[in-house]
Amino acid sequence: MSEHKPKIVALVCNWCTYTAADLAGTSRRDYPSEIRLVRLMCTGMIDSKYILKAFLEGADGVFIGGCHPGDCHYIDGNLKAVKRIEAIGIMLEQFGFEKERLKLEWIGASEGPEFQENMQEFAKKIGDMGKVQTADRMIL
Amino acid sequence: MDRKFSTLVAGAGISGVRAALDLAELGYRVLLIDKKASAGGILSQLDYQFPNDHCGMCRTLPMIDRNNGAQFCLRKGIFHKNITFMPGCEIETVKGTPGNLSISLKRSPLGVDPEKCTGCLSCESVCPVTVKEDFNGNLSQRKAIYLPVPHNIPNKRVIDFESCTKCGECVSECPTNAIDITKDVGIETIDGIGSVILATGTELYNPDGVDLYNTSKIKDVVTATAFERIMSSSGPYKGKIQRPSDGKEIKKVAFIQCVGSRNLMIGADYCSSVCCMFALKEAALLAEKTKSSDSAIFCMDLRTFSRDGERYKERVKEKGVRFIRSRIHSVEKDDSGNPSISYVDADGKQKSESFDLVVLSTGKSQNLTHPSFIENEGVFGISETPDFKEISDSMINSSFASSKAIQIAKEYDYETKKSSTQINDDDPKLHIILCSCGNLFKENVDLTKITEDISRIYGIGITTIDQACSLEGWSELKSIIDEKGVNRLIIGACNPQIFSTKLSDNSLLTEIITLAEHISDTESVDEATKSILSEIASSIGRLKKYTPQKVRSMNISKRALVLGGGISGLSSAKTLSDSGVPVTIVEKSDKLGGNLPFISDETVIKSIKNLIEKVSSDSNIDILFNSELSSHKGVPGKFESVISKENTELIVQTGSIIVATGGGKASFDDENERVKTTFDLSIELMEKKVDAKNIVMMQCKDSRVEPFNYCSRICCGKALDNAIKIKEQNPDAKITMFYRDIMAYGDIEKKYTEARRRGVIFKRFEKEKYPEVISNDNGFTIKAFDFILNEDIEIKADLLVYSTGVAPQVDNLEKTLKLKTTVDGFIKEVDFKFRPVDTGKEGIFICGLRRNPANASEAEKEGVSAAQRALRLLNSEILISSGQVAHVRHSICSRCNACVTACPYTARFVSVEDRKVYVDDISCQGCGTCASVCPNNATIIEGFEEKGILDSIEAALG
Ligand code: FES
């Protein structure tokens, strides 16, 4: 299994998690290189399509990082995102994706180390899970 | 004469930043200075704020006329193109008159040229001097050349010349020759400044100075700020909550309150106002983070006098935190090395208990005064004395000061500059600029491959600049843009955020890539190259699909509607009118002044009367008496309100609405003329003597208990005033005050001291046991439990005075204007700390007693602050929308209205004319919530179009 290098997209909000990533990487990157960050203004902006698109484009995992509840720059975008992401998780499962491949975490602006930990953990887990099995068979 | 800056703001803490932004948002240019090497003040050390235990500082940033280049976490630094920040500066002297002040600044050298420093760290690695890191409460170490705030950008190093030995190691090591250790403190004079705002804040009490409990030698005794750092992820232990002496996990903490405050022995006869909430918050965070529950707060009173403080305290109590009323005797190490506190508890018993860590709740340092130039005309202090204030109070006080600075800027006609620029919407012409950052990227990334690949696949050119952040680099960058006629730009550098602010003037679209994030010590050049390539591709995707909208402008109704003619309403109206905005005041009764009849302080009465005078004679202000708001519609800048006045209705068009309908004494009824309220007694005492001999004052009557579970904040001060007055009139009068906590915050503490000195007896009671009152022919008998005697007592009284608190007005405005309220019926602001007078609906602001309990001068300041916020809208006739807002594609909108409910800013509405969904550009903040709930893709977010994001996701995976 170790040969497969997973592909992971991290959709992060501009205000908190992006800041944390930035803080973690101010000098050097310290999270796995298979993770690609895509910065959005808020997790509330994350459309189900973005997540599906990522999986269809071959992502093995999608990480979503936003501000802690109560902390969202746009008041409660993150809380609205929770519900949507839960729903997508269920949907993905029905398509045969393990729901662990989609993960939502709150990472505050000063939480550089948390960002790093989360990234390493997620990359490891996705790496261990191996390639998405369904993707090959899926025609959408 | 150079008249560049309308205002100089000294102190770049949150107060200074608020004041600077107030001015900058109106277009005035501000010089912001701080004696430290970085901005942010104490908040840069604090990750969490009461009452939601998170940050939220970014909500301070402008919302109208948003500068897209400055949409970052505010703790990283303040980026606004109208604000110039000068670190390491202090004011020496202020000369001249308002509108033309000449200010000489003492500039301490920073040692490193920020234009040249690349943040490469080589200086730090050779610096031989190691000192304690004050940023982390002295719990970690740093070099003499260091980064003052780890999360600040740009991450330029500075030298701490107090510990630098000038050995010169770093000078020769620096690859860009950025270091100069020969410079001395210099004096610089700046002329033509309109006014000065002094926001230098205060200093923290240093517990090692007068070592009150002999704790300076015990490692596991830290200050509250240091404890905050221990809990921070960017702190000394990287978020592991461990104690300094042996790294043991911290579970059980003792907080000792009032260290350096409320202490007559050291001449600190004041309360520092914030430490109780601070300790509560830290105790709550610890309980949450470590799932522990045995911490204790050792206090005299627990001063939770802010509106939601009481309920917050109860939540903290539920987490298992104990509040121990006590006097601390000493702190020592026990046999197992844990700090142990010996104290005398409320019953007078001596006890001791050991903890993992002891936190000293240090307040402000004593004997601080403002510098003498505060007396100079045109210099405005944020507070009368250097003081600690809770964040929302600081914000309100700042805007109060900035409103005066704005008057001067207006009067002397300083130039204004708004930031909205029309984005060039010609066909996308993309270019990429990569900064090689000295040798950093040349060595770690295959720049040739990147250039080749990008031009092969996308046909887009790349230019590499050696040091884009230097002066030369910057001009090179600008000339490339001009030469190539570029209208979309991707910049890759170590800290590209700095460019986006600088570039926001141009009609360019920029994407930023933080190159440093792709380089890692453990991975190969190949990996780094690949990951940069993918990020560039991702950005290209987004920029190509970006279709900028035309900047739209809207004529606004330059008039404000002020609901309520009380103290806060009057001060709002006055501020607006002084800024040239016509005002309509709607007052329910037939006179102005609100709670004026219940105020007993002569100076306050005079100033309110003066205010009424001015407002009544102001031709710019219309006053409608006996009238109320009955309905309301429209968008910010163009509200239409229907006012009902004695059976007639009239329509008023205004750009903004200020809710100042206030509140008043909580209702209280007692027939007995020997029973009074604290408010009534204070008015009576203005005229006559009180003949009673035995007076009992009972605080918190029907207050701080359900259903009125909030502190009214003003009763304790008033009750103390009353007690002192009675004692002045009749020193033999016997006064007993039953209280739960004496909320004598700030300098009200002096009254508390004075009352005790005059022999007023204070007896505490517990929430559950309100003293029992039995009335009889000669007066009353009060039965209560005495904590010191540890027994039930009975006290006779011939006058009984209740502090009954205040309550908000019942006026249904929350329904008419669709605003949120607290459980107690106060209108709720959108962010308690950082946007205290904003309702969350753009254009509608809230101040005074309708929002929270406040005394007259606090209400007045809130009024000014609300007016200040309204001015952002009303200052000009035309409002230009910021970029990055949402639009509706009507052709595919199914009008399901999902977006209308989802919008957190109520920026979306259904038009009555054509039933279509529209977006109000001014309210929209571009968060994108609407787009993600739209089932039909009918919503587009400028700059974050779906196509662009999908492309960038694809590219990221490519
Ligand atoms: S801004 Fe971070 S989740 Fe909304």
Side-chain angles (χ1 to χ4, degrees), chain A residues 5 7-9 11 14-16 18-19 21-23 25-34 36-51 53-55 57-60 68-77 80 84 109-114 117, chain B residues 47-48 52 54-56 58-59 61 71-73 75-76 121 150-151 153 155 233-234 238 440 444 497 511 514 516-521 523 527 530-531 534 538 542 830 884 902-905 925-929 931-933 937 941 944 946 949-950 952-954 956-957:
Chain A
K5 195 149 194 203
K7 286 184 174 175
I8 296 168
V9 178
L11 304 172
N14 174 64
W15 297 94
C16 280
Y18 182 71
T19 308
D22 200 36
L23 182 62
T26 311
S27 42
R28 297 279 164 117
R29 181 183 62 206
D30 53 3
Y31 56 88
S33 64
E34 52 268 38
R36 297 289 147 80
L37 288 193
V38 174
R39 179 178 64 100
L40 298 168
M41 290 315 277
C42 174
T43 51
M45 181 183 254
I46 296 175
D47 198 307
S48 333
K49 277 175 283 207
Y50 303 161
I51 298 168
K53 170 82 175 175
F55 281 114
E57 286 297 329
D60 298 300
H68 285 275
D71 236 8
C72 171
H73 180 76
Y74 305 104
I75 306 167
D76 58 358
K80 290 176 182 138
R84 196 169 321 128
S110 59
E111 300 180 334
E114 271 88 343
E117 261 163 49
Chain B
D47 293 353
Y48 313 98
N52 61 6
H54 292 295
C55 178
C58 57
R59 293 180 188 152
L61 289 170
Q71 296 274 298
F72 301 116
C73 171
R75 297 180 73 208
K76 289 176 132 305
L121 286 173
H151 43 259
I153 51 165
N155 59 344
S233 288
S234 58
K238 300 273 168 275
L440 185 66
N444 292 294
Q497 280 92 337
E511 262 291 281
T514 312
E517 261 176 36
H518 298 270
I519 299 172
S520 124
D521 290 331
E523 282 168 76
E527 282 295 342
K530 242 172 73 194
S531 101
S534 117
S538 195
R542 209 170 77 80
V830 67
Q884 209 183 314
C903 177
Y905 299 96
Q925 297 296 308
C927 69
T929 305
S932 61
V933 297
N937 281 347
I941 309 295
F944 284 87
E946 187 181 285
I949 297 177
L950 291 176
S952 58
I953 290 173
E954 190 178 329
L957 288 160

